[in-house]
Amino acid sequence: MPRKLAAGNWKMNGLRASLAELKTLEERHDDASVDILICPPATLISACKDMLFDIGGQDCHSATSGAHTGDLSAQMLADAGASHVLTGHSERRTDHGEDNATVAAKSRAAYAADLMAVICIGETLEERESGSTLSVIDTQLAGSVPDAATAQNTVIAYEPVWAIGTGKVPTLDQIGEVHAHIRARLTDRFTDGAEMRILYGGSVKGSNAADIFGVPHVDGALVGGASLKADDFSPIITALEKA
Ligand code: 13P
């Protein structure tokens, strides 16, 4: 089985001064037994490229280059030092109207640039309350994950939209149900779907990480707010190492 993955998504947070947090994290986890990925804002990628951690972009354009003011290609992220890129984060889907086909195109662009795509999916509160969570997950998996996905180029991140930045976390049973469902879909569709890592994301903290990592088919976490400070992210990494 591939190593578990503790991933931090800094979103639109972080200036050069914030790199001190990563230095601290590096000192504490220089011999980590899990993979550690940090997705800082793109402005900090090149400054992070010599760190021990894997570094990722938070989004990429589906094209390699061209007249797309303000966008970054997967190749540019790779050139700056990234090895991963998030695609289809719910904030991109909501703020920028990205649909599943866009997310699949971005993920294919990631593969073409030799980046690992961390493809994000998850239901809204309305979808959860109407009982359509698993069908939403099916639609997102079918539409956002390219046929060329493998355990070597793809990580799936399950992030219920209603749990992101809210302090609300699904029950362990709810997380387990969705992760088992995703695993079944991945193994149906991909020869190495059993090895594709599935991360949970949404209000993960040091205080709930160990319980979440004990749920079957949770292979790590995609952490927002609690990845910004070494003191908050470090216990999550330690909990994953012990899981
Ligand atoms: P929070 O951990 O802040 O809830 O964010 C989760 C997330 O969106 C990570 O991509």
Side-chain angles (χ1 to χ4, degrees):
M1 284 300 287
R3 298 215 307 174
K4 303 208 165 181
L5 173 61
N9 172 14
W10 279 16
K11 308 189 180 186
M12 200 172 72
N13 299 290
L15 302 172
R16 279 181 297 163
S18 322
L19 298 174
E21 294 295 330
L22 290 183
K23 286 268 170 252
T24 306
L25 206 62
E26 214 172 20
E27 281 158 20
R28 290 189 197 164
H29 297 282
D30 61 346
D31 59 351
S33 60
V34 298
D35 290 341
I36 301 173
L37 166 68
I38 304 289
C39 301
T43 47
L44 293 179
I45 290 176
S46 66
C48 292
K49 72 178 189 313
D50 295 325
M51 295 203 158
L52 289 177
F53 313 131
D54 289 327
I55 301 299
Q58 299 176 8
D59 174 53
C60 65
H61 197 278
S62 56
T64 317
S65 61
H68 303 290
T69 301
D71 280 317
L72 295 171
S73 71
Q75 197 180 27
M76 289 168 178
L77 299 175
D79 187 53
S83 54
H84 292 62
V85 63
L86 308 181
T87 58
H89 190 282
S90 72
E91 288 149 18
R92 300 291 314 176
R93 292 177 186 262
T94 304
D95 295 357
H96 299 271
E98 294 185 7
D99 60 12
N100 289 316
T102 307
V103 177
K106 290 181 176 214
S107 304
R108 284 192 294 271
Y111 302 159
D114 281 332
L115 295 182
M116 184 168 289
V118 181
I119 304 176
C120 306
I121 58 173
E123 82 286 0
T124 63
L125 185 59
E126 199 181 12
E127 289 163 342
R128 161 77 50 188
E129 286 177 343
S130 68
S132 53
T133 297
L134 298 183
S135 69
V136 168
I137 295 296
D138 282 346
T139 305
Q140 291 179 332
L141 282 175
S144 305
V145 182
D147 289 335
T150 69
Q152 268 65 54
N153 65 20
T154 299
V155 172
I156 305 296
Y158 168 55
E159 299 203 301
V161 178
W162 53 276
I164 294 176
T166 58
K168 289 189 193 134
V169 183
T171 65
L172 300 180
D173 284 348
Q174 287 173 324
I175 295 174
E177 180 189 34
V178 177
H179 277 245
H181 185 82
I182 294 170
R183 175 69 68 214
R185 288 289 179 264
L186 295 177
T187 50
D188 281 350
R189 186 170 160 203
F190 301 104
T191 48
D192 63 355
E195 284 103 61
M196 224 176 256
R197 287 174 292 183
I198 308 172
L199 309 182
Y200 168 77
S203 297
V204 176
K205 304 184 200 65
S207 55
N208 60 22
D211 286 343
I212 292 170
F213 295 149
V215 175
H217 306 295
V218 173
D219 304 310
L222 180 56
V223 183
S227 70
L228 294 171
K229 298 274 178 227
D231 283 348
D232 294 332
F233 199 34
S234 185
I236 296 172
I237 295 169
T238 303
L240 189 59
E241 288 181 306
K242 290 185 183 155

